Structures are given as C-alpha cells and as structure tokens.
C-alpha cells in the first residue's frame, strides 16, 4: 500500500480523494488530508485524519499538493523536513518552483473540475514529471491506480498542453456563453443548443476537428456571414465572429 | 399514416429517413426519396421508391426539402403543381423564399449532421414554421413522431438561433482545431484533450456557461496569460487568445 497525504480540500483534492479511496483501489491509501480551513476539511474528517497545521503532517510516500496555482509554492515551502516526495497538480507551475529541500514532481490531471460533479478518473489523462526515475515509478503506480491514461510530460510540453486546454475548455465555454447571450437577447431557450453542444464535442472524440468542421465559413457562404454580422449586436461579437470566420475560410481555401 | 416525400439524399435527409422509418414510428411513412444523383439514391433504393426526376414526385402530405441551403429555393421552384405542403430544413432560408405556388413551411433540426454518424433524433430540437395552423398541426405531428423537443419558431428567431449555433458549434469546433494545432506543433497527442472537450460540453448540460467558466482569464491570472501570449506562435492565435481572454476577464470583473 502506498501512503499519500493530500494537501488541499478544493475540487481537485476532493476528486482525487474519492478516486484514491474507491474500494477498487487497493494500491493507494490517503492517510491524511491537510487544509487551511477546518470547515472545508469537514467532508474528509469522518473518513480520514485531517489537519490544518503543516507541522502535523503524517509520514507518507507522497505529499500531493492539490491547491490553486497561486498557492502551490507557498504550501510546498512550508512542508517541514527534507527529502520527502512532493508533487503538485498544476498545469502551469514548474516542478522546480517548489521547495528544493524535497524531491519534487508534477501530477497534472488534464480535466476541468467542478464542485459536486464527480468525474470518472479512469479516462482522465494524468501527466507526470519527477526529478528521478525512482520517484517517477512511485508516482506512476499512484497514477495508474486511478487512471488508464498516464504519461510522462516535461514542463515545457505541459505548459503548451495547458495552453491548448485553455482553447479547448475555457475559450470553448466562452463561446457557449456568447451563444447563450444571443439566445437571451432574442428570448430563445439555451436548452435548444445543448444537444448541439454535446454532439459537437462527441464528434471530435471520433474524428479530427479539421474533418468535423461545418458551417457558413467553411462553405464560403458570404451571404449568411454578412447577414450574421448585421444581426450581431455588439462590436465584440462581430470581432470574434470575423476572426474565427476568416480563420476557418482560410483553412478550407474559401475567399470571403 | 402521414406520407412524406423526402427531397435530398445527404446527411440530413438520410438521418431524417432513418428516424421516420424506425419501427417505433407508426405515424409517418416516407413514400419516396428524390435526389439528383442516382448513385446517392442507392442506399434508399432497396427500402423505398426513389426518383431523380422532380416531375415524377408521388402524392404526399409533406414534401420535405433536406438539401443544402443554396439548393433549397431551386428545388422548391421545380416541385410541380400547386397547393402542396413543402418545407425545408435550413436554419437560414426563409419560408417565403420558396415556391409560392405551394404551402410553405420550415422543419429545422438544430443539430450538426455528419456522414455515417447516426443521431438520436429524440433529443434534437425541431423548430417548425408554417403558413397556417392546419399545416403547422400536420408538421407538428410529423416532428413529434421523431423528437420530443418540437417548438414553433418564426424566421427572425430561427435566424438568431442559427447564428447562436454557429458560435456553439462551428466556432467551438474551430477552437478545438486551434488546440489541435498547438498539440501538433509541440508533439502532444490530441487524445489528451478529448476527455476535457467532452466534459466541457457535458458541464453546460447541467449548468450555464457563466457558472461553468474557469481558467486564467476568469481568475485574472495575468502571469499565466502573459506566458501564454509568449508561447503562442502566430499572430492569429494571439488575437483570438487576447479577444476571448479580455471578454472573460471583463465578465468576471478582473483587470488585466
């Protein structure tokens, strides 16, 4: 059994806790959860020892820091002692930014975490980095216990992957938001778009976005594009519409 | 039994054909399929009478024109006789652009159709418009036989809905494409992003995009944003990144 101390009690920490604590997981045990707020530790308290004091950390094979990007370094700096294996879950923080008295690593789950929505870790890519092979092997065992998609990924690639994820998740969601705004403005139910949104994402599970592309820009349908630019009510909407439309048209060799 | 002649043999026509012809559908029968190309009619030929000649159309309660936006008007103009009920499946063409010798309507399924990917029509919104109540009632029966999400929608609203769908589908897919490009450039598997893309879409099935938003722009995380702008390799990527980032930051009251 590999013992893990989990530092953090937000969405990522909760989901990791649940995945490690699943009855099917015989490889890993969460032996303690650390959090700044006693209140946020309450959900863990009935199941696992908890602490709000970093001086009281239990011995473990891995200290997994699942806190916000901004807090990773300061938490790592306050982990007492030396030579422990510590890893964070951030896509943006480098391994070497953490406390150099310890062995450092990265345990980055590429997914969007939402409060109260439990995810199946099995399909979530876990991107690992460690300072030496021994540490990597241990982290790999821990990762394999919850996901079947574990890969080694160095800082530079992780940074680019995180940036790609900003497009695939943050920006995509903002386009949903823009569609929502158009619906609200014209008293249309956003519900009408939900099946389309889901199918759009499902389509690229099987094919590439290049193949999946459809729409007026791809067809070079200037009439519809002009109509849309008339219908859009803000400068910002028009700018985003124009930029993405020109990009699509260019890729598919259409002149607008 | 309501008799329908289907005009078209592309993705939308095929999927409508399958939905109408499902054993569970006792209300509607496709009595004929029209297509310009005898070859494209082959898949239908074994199951239903087909024709490549608009002069040979069978009598039916509805002539459903499921062809490309550009071809709708010309097909409608060549439907012989008068007083028939004809409807198209386009989000952008107005009902009144069609042949005025007939009763005209719109039967717009809000979804993205891909060759070879069969969809469950049950959840697909069908937006209907007709010139009179009698026609509407008939089209509504036909629509209800395949979907549980049927609504009346006039031209003006349909146009806006179609535009919202361009954001939710076409532009979203283009952002997947941009993420794919970043992956290719840095030798990262696009597969790593697929679970994230799916969860991003699934999230807004349960909540609003406003609530679902995450990421550096929402947090006002200037350091990460600046780093990303350095990492992006083309002017176009930077422009789209900047526009969407500023939009998100503004919505959540963050200064960049």
């Amino acid at each position: 059994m590999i013992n893990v101390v989990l530092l953090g009690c937000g969405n990522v920490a909760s989901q990791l806790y649940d995945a490690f604590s699943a009855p099917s997981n015989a490889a890993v045990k969460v032996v303690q959860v650390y959090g700044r707020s006693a209140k946020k530790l309450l959900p863990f308290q009935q199941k696992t020892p908890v602490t709000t004091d970093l001086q009281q950390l239990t011995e473990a094979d891995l200290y997994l820091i699942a806190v916000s990007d901004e807090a990773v370094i300061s938490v790592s700096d306050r982990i007492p002692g030396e030579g422990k294996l510590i890893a964070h879950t951030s896509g943006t923080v480098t391994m070497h930014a953490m406390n150099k008295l310890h062995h450092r690593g990265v345990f980055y789950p590429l997914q969007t975490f939402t409060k109260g929505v439990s995810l199946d870790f099995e399909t979530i890519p876990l991107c690992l980095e460690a300072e030496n092979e021994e540490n990597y092997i241990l982290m790999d065992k821990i990762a394999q216990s919850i996901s079947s998609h574990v890969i080694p990924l160095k800082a530079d690639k992780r940074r680019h992957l995180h940036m790609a994820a900003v497009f695939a998740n943050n920006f995509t969601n903002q386009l949903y938001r823009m569609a929502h705004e158009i619906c609200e403005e014209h008293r249309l139910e956003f519900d009408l778009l939900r099946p389309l949104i889901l199918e759009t994402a499902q389509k690229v599970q099987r094919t590439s976005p290049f193949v999946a592309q459809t729409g007026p820009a791809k067809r070079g349908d200037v009439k519809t594009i002009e109509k849309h630019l008339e219908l859009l009510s803000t400068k910002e909407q028009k700018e985003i519409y124009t930029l993405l439309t020109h990009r699509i048209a260019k890729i598919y060799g259409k002149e607008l």
Side-chain angles (χ1 to χ4, degrees), chain A residues 108 110 127 153 156-166:
Chain A
Y108 172 46
L110 186 65
C127 309
L153 202 71
D156 182 54
K157 286 204 169 192
R158 188 175 64 250
R159 242 196 313 263
H160 284 100
L161 183 61
H162 178 260
M163 188 171 67
V166 166

Side-chain angles (χ1 to χ4, degrees), chain A residues 221-238:
Chain A
D221 177 352
V222 178
K223 228 173 85 187
T224 299
I225 293 165
E226 280 173 357
K227 188 78 204 165
H228 283 170
L229 287 170
E230 270 172 44
L231 292 174
L232 288 167
S233 54
T234 74
K235 183 170 160 271
E236 198 182 36
Q237 287 172 335
K238 286 180 213 270

Side-chain angles (χ1 to χ4, degrees), chain A residues 76-77 83 86 96-104 131:
Chain A
S76 87
D77 283 346
I86 66 175
H96 298 106
M98 290 192 294
N99 186 343
K100 63 183 175 199
L101 294 176
H102 298 297
H103 299 294
R104 298 161 295 180
E131 285 186 294

